[in-house]
Amino acid sequence: KRWYQRRVREEDVKEKLATMYRTTADVIMPFGFRTDFGGGRSTGFALIYDNVDAMKKIEPKYRLARFQPKLDKTGGRRQRKELKNRKKKVTGKKKSELGSCRRNGK
C-alpha cells in the first residue's frame, strides 16, 4: 500500500497516548478505529486504566486477547476437524476427555 493509504497502527496510538498522558502503553486499550474517506485521518476510541489489574478486570476478554501474543494451534487442521466431529457424537464430560491423549477407552 502507498504511504497515504496505510491505516494507523494501534500500537503506534498506544505509544503516542502514553507520552501524552505520562503513563505506560500497557494500560491503554485502543479500539474501534475507522479510516476517514480519502485516507490520511482515522478516528477511534481508547481507554486508559490506572493499572494492568484494573484493565484485566474491566476489559472484555476478546479485546485483551488482541494485544496478547498469538498462541500456536496444536495439531493440524484435519486433526481439529476430526476432533470436532467426534465431540458431536458424545455428551457431557466425555467431550472434554476426547481431547486428551486417551483413545478408544484405553
Side-chain angles (χ1 to χ4, degrees):
K1 292 185 172 187
R2 295 195 166 57
W3 64 270
Y4 54 84
Q5 289 178 322
R6 284 189 227 132
R7 67 181 195 88
V8 179
R9 289 183 56 229
E10 292 179 359
E11 294 294 329
D12 296 340
V13 172
K14 283 174 81 164
E15 295 298 326
K16 183 80 171 173
L17 288 172
T19 55
M20 283 173 60
Y21 292 99
R22 295 186 186 99
T23 184
T24 58
D26 59 341
V27 296
I28 299 173
M29 184 59 64
F31 61 96
F33 281 88
R34 300 190 64 158
T35 307
D36 290 347
F37 181 75
R41 184 176 161 164
S42 295
T43 56
F45 300 96
L47 299 173
I48 302 174
Y49 292 93
D50 294 329
N51 53 42
V52 177
D53 293 331
M55 183 173 77
K56 287 183 179 177
K57 184 179 175 185
I58 297 169
E59 277 295 313
K61 299 281 187 264
Y62 72 91
R63 247 192 254 158
L64 287 171
R66 287 180 188 171
F67 293 100
Q68 301 298 321
K70 300 279 189 276
L71 298 174
D72 291 335
K73 295 178 180 174
T74 56
R77 184 168 185 251
R78 171 93 335 239
Q79 281 180 318
R80 289 195 311 264
K81 285 183 168 193
E82 287 172 357
L83 178 63
K84 173 192 65 124
N85 291 328
R86 281 199 311 267
K87 282 184 179 181
K88 286 180 186 177
K89 297 173 186 172
V90 296
T91 58
K93 190 177 173 186
K94 295 175 194 164
K95 285 191 181 199
S96 59
E97 292 173 356
L98 273 178
S100 64
C101 295
R102 297 188 313 168
R103 269 211 215 160
N104 302 330
K106 292 181 183 176

